[in-house]
Amino acid sequence: AQTVTQSQPEMSVQEAETVTLSCTYDTSENNYYLFWYKQPPSRQMILVIRQEAYKQQNATENRFSVNFQKAAKSFSLKISDSQLGDTAMYFCAFMRTNYGGATNKLIFGTGTLLAVQP
Amino acid sequence: DARVTQTPRDKVTEMGQEVTMRCQPILGHNTVFWYRQTMMQGLELLAYFRNRAPLDDSGMPKDRFSAEMPDATLATLKIQPSEPRDSAVYFCASGKQGAETQYFGPGTRLLVL
């Protein structure tokens, strides 16, 4: 069975600074995706970034980037130039893939509550 | 702007009552997921469907929960009878063949008194 661990229940960062959220996972699968979702107080789950396990290059989306270490089973999220609107709960999630490209269930970590301070 | 819709947004009910939550997946998406979010358990999968067929409902208490897809544009999650421990936010998400991303609805916040 797959598990996802987020060891930082809460974090705080000053506006315009950089922060890194940690995530580790455990799996015996070789083909999978990893995701970071953001959940602001509105409770909407918003995709931040995704990473295919077979790709060595780390994914980047504007101010968001990941450090994917497959051998270490680590998938951290770096937020650069933090903004007040980044204040939210951040969830790391794992999804195994299968041939045919169908979506499968997400396995979530427990989340990290990030507060961006003005 | 295509999005997953869920109704109702909030629901307060009394223990023992039936609760029905509805989800409209994004048009063209063939996979629908139901997740539950609680403080104690976090986000967990209840059930999911592909091409309207149930694939996995192992996370769902079978005695009181049921999930169906009457057609490709509607998924339902029912709780009968509801209990206070069912209080949670219930999310529906959808995805399509050949794409790995799931898109979430706004969730239904359920409070069972």
Side-chain angles (χ1 to χ4, degrees), chain A:
Chain A
Q2 294 85 16
T3 59
V4 178
T5 302
Q6 293 180 251
S7 58
Q8 304 153 314
E10 296 183 21
M11 292 194 73
S12 181
V13 64
Q14 292 296 122
E15 201 174 2
E17 296 295 308
T18 296
V19 64
T20 298
L21 309 183
S22 301
C23 172
T24 58
Y25 60 97
D26 190 25
T27 184
S28 58
E29 302 278 347
N30 198 42
N31 299 311
Y32 52 89
Y33 280 87
L34 295 163
F35 303 85
W36 280 97
Y37 278 88
K38 165 186 176 180
Q39 187 179 38
S42 67
R43 82 173 182 239
Q44 177 71 53
M45 294 289 287
I46 302 166
L47 177 68
V48 175
I49 198 165
R50 62 175 176 256
Q51 173 80 41
E52 296 100 319
Y54 67 87
K55 287 189 177 179
Q56 293 188 342
Q57 186 173 7
N58 289 321
T60 299
E61 287 287 345
N62 300 313
R63 298 182 295 107
F64 300 88
S65 61
V66 298
N67 183 3
F68 174 48
Q69 302 290 327
K70 190 172 183 179
K73 295 180 182 174
S74 171
F75 183 60
S76 61
L77 174 69
K78 185 172 81 171
I79 306 174
S80 304
D81 185 26
S82 297
Q83 300 175 359
L84 296 178
D86 295 334
T87 293
M89 182 74 85
Y90 286 81
F91 292 96
C92 179
F94 170 98
M95 185 187 78
R96 69 172 179 82
T97 57
N98 51 18
Y99 298 108
T103 53
N104 290 306
K105 66 181 181 183
L106 291 167
I107 298 169
F108 289 92
T110 51
T112 296
L113 182 60
L114 176 67
V116 180
Q117 307 293 342

